[in-house]
C-alpha cells in the first residue's frame, strides 16, 4: 500500500509539472542497487567491477574516435550520471585524461564506497545533468559522455541541450542507453523516459507519450546520428538493445 501510494504521489507531481520534485523523491531507488553491486563487486559481472576500479583503464575505442587532434594537450571529458564508479577509461595513449564525473547521488555514493572499502580511481562529484551549463564554462570539454543515465533525469531534453553547450565546437556528446528503458522497466523508479528511434531519428519520449525529435530540437546547433547494437545482459543472458547516439556540435 505504501509503495502504491508513493507511485501515485510521484505520478501526480509529474502531472502537475513538478518533475524535478518527483525525480528527487525517486532518487533513493538507485541506492539499493549500487550498495549491493559494490558489496558483491559487480553482482554477476565482476569483470565490469574490475574495469571500473582499474586506475589505468584505457579510454574505450569508440570514444577515442570522437576526440579531436590533441596537439599534445590533455583531453577533458565529462561523464554525466557516472554513478559511484565511472565506466569511462582514464588513460589515452599513455597520458592521463582530465576526467570529470558527476552524479546527483555523489555524496551517497561516497558513503557506499567507504562502507564497502572501495576507492574510486576518479571520485564522482555532485551535479545534475540539466544544470551542467551552470557548473562549467561553455565549450570547455572535448567530449561529454552519458551511459544509462540521462533517461533517469527529470528533463532529458534539457540535459542533452546542456551537454551540447559545454562541449567544444566540433566535439561530441556520446550517449549510450538501453533502448526504450522506461517502457522496459514499466516506468518504475527513475525510469520515466524512453530513448528511442522514431521515423529514423533519435527521439526522447515521456511516459505520457510526449515525444521530442532531437535532430529537430538541435537543428542549427548540432548534428545527430545513431546506431543500435545488441549485447548480452550479463545478469540474465537476455539480449539488450543499446542505442548509441553521437551528437556533434556545429
Amino acid at each position: 500500500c505504501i509503495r502504491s501510494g508513493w507511485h501515485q504521489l510521484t505520478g501526480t507531481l509529474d502531472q502537475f509539472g513538478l518533475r524535478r520534485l518527483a525525480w528527487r523523491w525517486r532518487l533513493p531507488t538507485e541506492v539499493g542497487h549500487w550498495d549491493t553491486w559494490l558489496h558483491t563487486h559487480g553482482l554477476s559481472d565482476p569483470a565490469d567491477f574490475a574495469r571500473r576500479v582499474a586506475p589505468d583503464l584505457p579510454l574505450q575505442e569508440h570514444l577515442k574516435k570522437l576526440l579531436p587532434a590533441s596537439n599534445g594537450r590533455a583531453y577533458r571529458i565529462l561523464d554525466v550520471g557516472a554513478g559511484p564508479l565511472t565506466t569511462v577509461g582514464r588513460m589515452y595513449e599513455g597520458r592521463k585524461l582530465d576526467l570529470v564525473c558527476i552524479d546527483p547521488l555523489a555524496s551517497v555514493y561516497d558513503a557506499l564506497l567507504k562502507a564497502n572499502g572501495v576507492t574510486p580511481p576518479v571520485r564522482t562529484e555532485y551535479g545534475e545533468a540539466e544544470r551542467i551549463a551552470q557548473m562549467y564554462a561553455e565549450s570547455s570539454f572535448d567530449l561529454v559522455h552519458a551511459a544509462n543515465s540521462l533517461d533517469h533525469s527529470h528533463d532529458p531534453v534539457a540535459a542533452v541541450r546542456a551537454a551540447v553547450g559545454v562541449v567544444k565546437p566540433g566535439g561530441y556528446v556520446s550517449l549510450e542507453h538501453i533502448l526504450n528503458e522506461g517502457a522496459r522497466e514499466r516506468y518504475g523508479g527513475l525510469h520515466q523516459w524512453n530513448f528511442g528511434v522514431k521515423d529514423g531519428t533519435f527521439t526522447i519520449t515521456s511516459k505520457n507519450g510526449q515525444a521530442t525529435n532531437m535532430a529537430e530540437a538541435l537543428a542549427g546547433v548540432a548534428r545527430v546520428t545513431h546506431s543500435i547494437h545488441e549485447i548480452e545482459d550479463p545478469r540474465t543472458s537476455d539480449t539488450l538493445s543499446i542505442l548509441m547516439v553521437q551528437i556533434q556540435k556545429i
Side-chain angles (χ1 to χ4, degrees):
C1 290
I2 293 173
R3 179 175 293 182
S4 175
W6 177 77
H7 281 302
Q8 290 179 12
L9 177 58
T10 53
T12 301
L13 292 173
D14 282 331
Q15 292 174 10
F16 280 93
L18 300 173
R19 291 188 303 192
R20 185 170 182 269
L21 179 57
W23 169 80
R24 292 190 67 85
W25 283 25
R26 291 177 177 128
L27 275 178
T29 61
E30 290 289 292
V31 176
H33 161 77
W34 283 114
D35 190 19
T36 303
W37 190 90
L38 289 167
H39 182 70
T40 59
H41 287 189
L43 289 170
S44 59
D45 192 2
D48 182 35
F49 178 85
R51 285 190 296 268
R52 293 187 188 223
V53 297
D56 56 351
L57 180 71
L59 184 66
Q60 289 82 353
E61 291 296 325
H62 70 283
L63 297 180
K64 288 181 182 179
K65 295 176 182 179
L66 303 181
L67 291 173
S70 69
N71 298 319
R73 64 178 177 82
Y75 289 112
R76 191 169 190 234
I77 298 176
L78 176 65
D79 189 18
V80 183
L85 293 168
T86 179
T87 61
V88 177
R90 274 66 81 181
M91 303 293 294
Y92 179 69
E93 295 183 349
R95 289 177 293 167
K96 190 173 182 179
L97 296 165
D98 181 5
L99 178 58
V100 179
C101 302
I102 63 170
D103 197 289
L105 286 168
S107 61
V108 177
Y109 292 150
D110 271 345
L112 294 182
L113 288 164
K114 184 177 180 180
N116 287 283
V118 178
T119 301
V122 180
R123 192 167 294 278
T124 300
E125 306 168 5
Y126 175 82
E128 294 181 25
E130 295 84 355
R131 300 186 174 191
I132 56 177
Q134 301 167 30
M135 299 171 60
Y136 306 106
E138 183 177 353
S139 304
S140 58
F141 289 93
D142 296 292
L143 174 68
V144 177
H145 172 267
N148 292 323
S149 58
L150 293 193
D151 57 349
H152 291 51
S153 62
H154 56 86
D155 190 343
V157 174
V160 172
R161 289 183 185 275
V164 172
V166 299
V167 79
K168 295 177 180 178
Y172 285 86
V173 175
S174 175
L175 309 179
E176 306 169 30
H177 292 76
I178 297 173
L179 188 68
N180 297 322
E181 178 76 339
R184 182 174 173 272
E185 292 289 341
R186 300 181 181 179
Y187 301 103
L190 293 177
H191 302 102
Q192 300 298 304
W193 301 88
N194 291 305
F195 279 27
V197 178
K198 184 177 181 181
D199 299 327
T201 303
F202 168 45
T203 303
I204 297 176
T205 307
S206 69
K207 180 172 62 174
N208 62 14
Q210 179 183 356
T212 301
N213 179 314
M214 293 307 296
E216 293 179 357
L218 297 171
V221 177
R223 290 182 284 269
V224 181
T225 59
H226 74 271
S227 58
I228 297 175
H229 301 272
E230 305 293 331
I231 67 169
E232 182 181 297
D233 187 342
R235 298 170 300 175
T236 63
S237 296
D238 292 337
T239 299
L240 286 177
S241 296
I242 305 298
L243 176 64
M244 309 282 289
V245 179
Q246 293 80 40
I247 303 171
Q248 185 179 31
K249 187 174 182 179
I250 297 173

